[in-house]
């Protein structure tokens, strides 16, 4: 049930004609309360789509009653008309829910869009589609919503965790343009705990820092994407905030690795673990330098444990370490010790999809893990430079 697993939420996913293939393309998630607290984090790309501009205004007071998401069009770089479409979409959600006896205002409706950049959304399909989505709302509609937000995804991405009478559920979209700050995708997370918006914001930022912000598939940052957390309070339970944050982080890591595994054209899921760094920021910088190195990614695609490309990549960073003291292991085999050859490359098996790279900087006690993938011939064919 994903986002409808926590009590207090309804969802739907319908086809309204925004996608040329006729697949579902509009999702609606509604918080029935009694609380309507929320938090969100957004792409840090300076070029931001109209739904991001709108949603930043909505989330400012920490109150959200519903979120509507369309695939089949990013509504980015579409000018004043595009922003008016976003506003009209929120108004349509509010009016539709009011007809269903829900007291919702447009100012409490988040809007998300994903798809091609630079094309106007068809309001004649979108706005009546909102009414259809509202009429289709169900307590078990989470799976339909997860399917409706897909673009180049090969399958829906969902997760559910329950603890001591309360639940967190989530759905995610993303298969390309995955890069940090945050890693770009659409994610909706719901929970039935009693936490205020400030607490939700703190927990969400802590969770995304260790999950979506560490996902770096292709180094390309989108214009549209956000992670939203909504709390209904319907369980009547106020959990320990540390336990809630840990559970939320676990769910976000689950969704992030699902996004990694569905990266366009990828044949290897690469986990880069950096240990013994002077600072956590150093560990992240080193891990990300490897994740964004196309020569390294090409080597993994060719099942070549070319550790020299790892050292060359980390040498471009400003992190504190001695490059001639670094150890590198690949899938459990230490191929580099103290900046020189160790075990023969032939001992490394890179044929499995899961690939683990361990980099020991020997400069401190901090660690970080970055998630990436290789780049294959199929990436060129599947990924669109105009999508978000």
């Amino acid at each position: 049930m994903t986002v409808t697993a926590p009590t207090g939420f309804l969802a739907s996913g319908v086809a309204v004609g925004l996608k040329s293939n006729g697949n579902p393309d509009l999702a609606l998630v509604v918080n029935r309360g009694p609380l309507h607290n929320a938090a969100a984090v957004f792409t840090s790309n300076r070029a931001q789509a109209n739904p991001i501009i709108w949603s930043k205004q909505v989330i400012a007071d920490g109150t959200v009653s519903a979120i509507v998401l369309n695939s089949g069009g990013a509504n980015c770089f579409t000018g004043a008309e595009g922003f008016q479409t976003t506003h009209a979409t929120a108004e349509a959600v509010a009016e539709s829910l009011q007809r269903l006896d829900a007291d919702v205002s447009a100012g409490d409706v988040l809007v998300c869009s994903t798809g091609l950049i630079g094309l106007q959304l068809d309001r004649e399909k979108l706005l009546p589609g909102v009414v259809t989505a509202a009429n289709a709302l169900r307590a078990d509609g989470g799976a339909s919503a997860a399917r409706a937000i897909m673009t180049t995804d090969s399958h829906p991405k969902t997760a559910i965790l329950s603890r001591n009478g309360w639940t967190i559920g989530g759905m995610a979209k993303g298969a390309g343009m995955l890069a940090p700050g945050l890693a770009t995708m659409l994610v909706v997370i719901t929970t039935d705990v009693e936490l205020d918006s400030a607490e939700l914001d703190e927990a969400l930022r802590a969770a995304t820092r260790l999950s979506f912000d560490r996902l770096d598939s292709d180094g390309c940052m989108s214009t549209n994407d956000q992670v939203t957390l909504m709390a209904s309070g319907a369980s009547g339970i106020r959990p320990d905030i540390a336990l809630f944050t840990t559970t939320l982080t676990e769910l976000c890591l689950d969704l992030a690795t699902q996004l990694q595994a569905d990266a366009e054209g990828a044949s290897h899921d690469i986990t880069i673990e950096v240990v013994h760094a002077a600072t956590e920021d150093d560990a992240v910088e080193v891990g990300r330098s490897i994740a964004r190195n196309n020569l390294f990614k090409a080597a993994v695609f060719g099942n070549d444990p070319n550790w020299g490309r790892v050292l060359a990549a980390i040498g471009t960073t400003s992190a504190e370490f001695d490059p001639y003291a670094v150890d590198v292991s690949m899938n459990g085999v230490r191929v580099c010790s103290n900046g020189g050859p160790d075990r023969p490359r032939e001992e490394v098996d890179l044929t499995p999809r899961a690939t683990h790279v361990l980099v020991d900087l020997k400069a401190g006690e901090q660690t970080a893990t970055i998630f990436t993938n290789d780049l294959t011939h199929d990436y060129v064919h599947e990924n669109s430079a105009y999508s978000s």
Side-chain angles (χ1 to χ4, degrees):
M1 294 190 294
T2 69
V3 291
T4 50
T7 50
F9 291 92
L10 304 174
S12 64
V14 297
V16 302
L18 298 178
K19 288 180 179 175
S20 59
N21 59 13
N23 287 340
D25 48 21
L26 186 68
L28 180 61
V29 181
V30 176
N31 182 356
R32 299 287 285 174
L35 301 181
H36 297 89
N37 299 331
V41 291
F42 301 90
T43 178
S44 59
N45 195 327
R46 291 170 57 200
Q48 297 187 346
N50 288 302
I52 293 290
I53 298 169
W54 169 267
S55 292
K56 282 186 171 181
Q57 298 171 4
V58 170
I59 201 66
D61 65 358
T63 300
V64 171
S65 297
I67 181 169
V68 58
L69 312 92
N70 75 269
S71 52
N75 196 3
C76 180
F77 291 114
T78 51
E81 180 181 345
F83 187 81
Q84 291 165 5
T85 297
T86 296
H87 190 174
T89 302
E91 291 280 5
V93 170
E95 292 171 2
S96 297
L97 295 179
Q98 289 166 7
R99 286 194 290 269
L100 298 176
D101 297 324
D103 185 16
V104 176
S105 70
D108 292 331
V109 178
L110 294 172
V111 181
C112 297
S113 298
T114 183
L116 292 179
I117 292 172
L119 299 177
Q120 297 289 353
L121 291 175
D122 188 342
R123 289 196 211 180
E124 293 185 0
K125 295 178 179 178
L126 176 61
L127 301 185
V130 168
V131 178
T132 302
N135 291 333
L137 287 168
R138 296 172 51 182
D140 61 352
S144 298
R147 188 166 294 278
I149 63 175
M150 293 167 50
T151 51
T152 57
D153 305 67
S154 65
H155 58 273
K157 302 166 179 70
T158 64
I160 303 170
L161 288 174
S162 295
R163 300 284 189 272
N164 306 323
W166 51 271
T167 300
I168 304 178
M171 65 179 185
K173 166 267 167 189
M177 297 188 77
L178 299 175
L182 71 140
T184 51
M185 76 289 291
L186 296 182
V187 180
V188 178
I189 303 169
T190 58
T191 182
D192 48 19
V193 301
E194 289 187 344
L195 291 174
D196 63 36
S197 58
E199 292 168 319
L200 295 174
D201 184 76
E202 181 179 357
L204 182 62
R205 292 182 185 279
T208 55
R209 183 179 68 84
L210 298 178
S211 56
F212 302 122
D213 278 347
R214 301 287 174 86
L215 177 62
D216 201 322
S217 173
D218 51 23
C220 297
M221 186 180 294
S222 183
T223 55
N224 283 62
D225 302 311
Q226 71 184 62
V227 177
T228 303
L229 172 62
M230 300 189 293
S232 68
S235 71
I237 298 173
R238 176 179 172 80
D240 174 76
I241 189 64
L243 174 60
F244 178 79
T245 302
T246 299
T247 306
L248 178 62
T249 302
E250 183 180 345
L251 181 130
C252 288
L253 280 168
D254 186 340
L255 292 173
T257 53
Q258 290 184 54
L259 294 169
Q260 176 196 23
D262 200 27
E264 291 175 352
S267 64
H268 290 80
D269 302 327
I270 307 171
T271 300
I272 303 167
E273 183 181 0
V274 181
V275 300
H276 297 127
T279 67
E280 183 178 351
D281 287 345
D282 278 1
V284 171
E285 182 183 4
V286 165
R288 205 174 309 285
S289 72
I290 302 168
R292 292 187 171 182
N293 187 279
N294 286 337
L295 290 177
F296 163 74
K297 293 158 89 77
V300 174
F301 170 49
N303 296 331
D304 177 10
N306 192 331
W307 55 268
R309 291 177 176 175
V310 173
L311 292 184
I314 69 176
T316 65
T317 71
S318 60
E320 179 184 337
F321 65 91
D322 179 356
Y324 302 102
V326 172
D327 291 353
V328 177
S329 298
M330 302 183 74
N331 279 359
V333 179
R334 192 172 69 177
V335 287
C336 168
S337 178
N338 293 318
D342 193 358
R343 301 302 304 167
R345 297 185 186 190
E346 293 73 22
E347 294 184 10
V348 180
D349 182 8
L350 289 182
T351 57
R353 185 177 180 97
T355 302
H356 181 260
V357 178
L358 176 66
V359 179
D360 188 344
L361 297 180
K362 303 178 183 176
E365 299 302 323
Q366 300 302 309
T367 66
T369 301
I370 301 294
F371 305 97
T372 190
N373 51 268
D374 60 348
L375 293 179
T376 72
H377 304 301
D378 292 335
Y379 179 83
V380 176
H381 300 299
E382 293 184 22
N383 191 33
S384 169
Y386 300 100
S387 65
S388 172

